[in-house]
């Protein structure tokens, strides 16, 4: 495999897959919810636009949880994080 | 992306505080992190950057990509104590001031806010905060701070955990640890007693996210990079001092077994190559590194250690992956063409035209 992600879309696919993987152990529902919340909180609009275009073009390379989360974000159907979860936008999150 | 103390920009109450005091609307969408800024610059959608006291051309991974990003921008302003490496790409260079030349505070890793007092006026004429204010006013803003204590007062106004902090309080108490506010009038030497600020801690399962970087037949060794005590980070400050006697150059540390396999002797020039790029430096044969692992510092610009490092990063923060780069090492007879060209260009960009007396 090539280790260098030469195009911006490839880099974003790698990032989305890594985010989804970090949450994968929590099961599909929570992993998808948290992946969507993380991307929404920390991706600049032009990164979102670029990955949206990639999803519309078929979403090559995206793992299932990442793809589902991105499709939900595009449709505005992502699940809000309940207050019982540590949300990425909560004060004290240092993921920024 | 976040206001001080990690308040996310999407938080309406936080935005409202800043909007009320600054009198401007604030975009609720997150911004870009440094690696993403560089991607966007190459794409042509990120046009200007104001860099104070940071040398991203040397410190950040995948130097060729950093250089391409900086070169693509329409306006790069570098404000630093020295003509650092990033200044090669600056359209405007502004001389910074040292900690001895300005009043202000340092906050250390135990949240301790400490006063720093100037012992002399800035040689460049202005403290860093004054330069920023002059720039702001040049583009039509009306900033009129006359002393850094007023900047701290604004921070206290906008940051609930700093509400009780001021230069006056710091003068009286010597130093304080935030949070410092009505609830913690003397500051907070220890946080999270009994519970966290949000209540109980919550344990969650996380999956280990390994790097995608792989060794293989072409790149069988792993490079890790790091720092030593006598040089600070990219060495912009410490390389210009007698500290360099302790660390005159970056060397590639390699295990005797790996060196012998490749016919490399101690002190030889070696070429090190990854999927991102290649550079050359001198070898240091040592069993401080394990077989299969090579190590170097990145304190000296001519080493170009970050030409080799890749754009892999941590999933949550995009913190670059400096510790795992698959490489091959082989004997070489000196610096690469790129290093020689870099050196030549460095010398050229540091020439200063003599002052010509006005007629």
């Amino acid at each position: 495999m090539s280790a260098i992600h030469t195009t911006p879309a490839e880099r974003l696919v790698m990032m989305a897959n890594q985010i989804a993987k970090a949450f994968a152990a929590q099961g599909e529902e929570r992993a998808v919810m948290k992946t969507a919340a993380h991307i929404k909180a920390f991706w600049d609009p032009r990164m979102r636009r670029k990955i949206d275009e990639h999803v519309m073009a078929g979403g090559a390379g995206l793992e299932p949880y990442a793809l589902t989360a991105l499709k939900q974000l595009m449709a505005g159907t992502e699940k809000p994080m309940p207050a019982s979860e540590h949300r990425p936008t909560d004060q004290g999150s240092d993921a920024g | 992306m976040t206001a001080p103390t990690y308040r996310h920009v999407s938080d309406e109450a936080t935005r409202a505080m800043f909007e009320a005091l600054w009198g401007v609307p604030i975009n609720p969408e997150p911004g870009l992190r440094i690696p993403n800024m560089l991607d966007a610059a190459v794409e042509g959608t990120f046009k200007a950057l104001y860099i104070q006291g940071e040398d991203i051309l040397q410190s950040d991974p995948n130097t060729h990509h950093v250089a391409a990003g900086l070169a693509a921008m329409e306006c790069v302003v570098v404000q630093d104590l020295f003509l650092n490496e990033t200044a090669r790409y600056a359209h405007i260079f502004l001389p910074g001031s040292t900690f001895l030349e300005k009043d202000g505070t340092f906050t250390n890793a135990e949240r301790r806010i400490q006063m720093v007092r100037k012992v002399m006026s800035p040689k460049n004429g202005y403290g860093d905060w004054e330069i920023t204010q002059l720039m702001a006013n040049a583009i039509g803003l009306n900033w009129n701070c006359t002393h850094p204590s007023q900047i701290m007062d604004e921070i206290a106004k906008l940051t609930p955990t700093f509400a009780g902090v001021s230069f006056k309080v710091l003068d009286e108490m010597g130093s304080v640890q935030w949070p410092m506010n009505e609830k913690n009038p003397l500051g907070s030497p220890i946080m999270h007693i009994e519970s966290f600020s949000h209540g109980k801690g919550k344990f969650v399962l996380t999956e280990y996210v390994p790097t995608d970087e792989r060794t293989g037949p072409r790149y069988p060794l792993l490079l890790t990079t790091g720092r030593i005590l006598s040089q600070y980070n990219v060495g912009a400050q410490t390389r210009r001092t007698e500290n360099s006697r302790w660390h005159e150059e970056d060397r590639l540390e390699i295990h005797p077994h790996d060196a012998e396999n490749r016919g490399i002797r101690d002190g030889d020039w070696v070429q090190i190559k990854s999927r991102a790029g290649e550079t050359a430096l001198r070898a240091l044969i040592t069993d401080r590194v394990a077989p299969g692992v090579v190590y170097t510092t990145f304190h000296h610009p001519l080493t170009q250690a970050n030409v080799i490092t890749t754009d892999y990063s941590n999933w949550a923060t995009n913190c670059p992956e400096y510790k795992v780069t698959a490489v091959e090492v082989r004997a070489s007879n000196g610096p690469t063409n790129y290093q020689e060209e870099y050196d030549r260009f460095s010398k050229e960009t540091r020439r200063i035209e003599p002052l010509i007396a006005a007629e």
Side-chain angles (χ1 to χ4, degrees), chain A residues 33-93:
Chain A
M33 176 178 74
K34 290 187 172 185
T35 302
H38 186 93
I39 289 172
K40 191 175 179 176
F42 299 119
W43 285 26
D44 156 277
R46 73 197 98 181
M47 294 163 72
R48 291 276 304 277
R49 273 199 300 276
K50 182 127 267 184
I51 200 77
D52 287 354
E53 284 165 19
H54 185 77
V55 169
M56 282 189 283
L62 284 164
E63 301 293 338
Y65 292 177
L67 185 62
T68 307
L70 289 167
K71 282 184 172 166
Q72 287 182 1
L73 281 172
M74 284 171 73
T77 57
E78 76 278 6
K79 289 211 179 108
M81 295 270 281
S84 59
E85 298 281 358
H86 180 75
R87 290 167 292 201
T89 52
D90 281 344
Q91 187 185 348
S93 169

Side-chain angles (χ1 to χ4, degrees), chain B residues 30-48:
Chain B
L32 293 164
R33 295 159 170 163
I34 296 172
N36 313 126
M37 288 179 197
L38 296 165
D39 292 344
V42 171
E43 283 183 275
T45 61
F46 185 92
K47 311 228 184 235

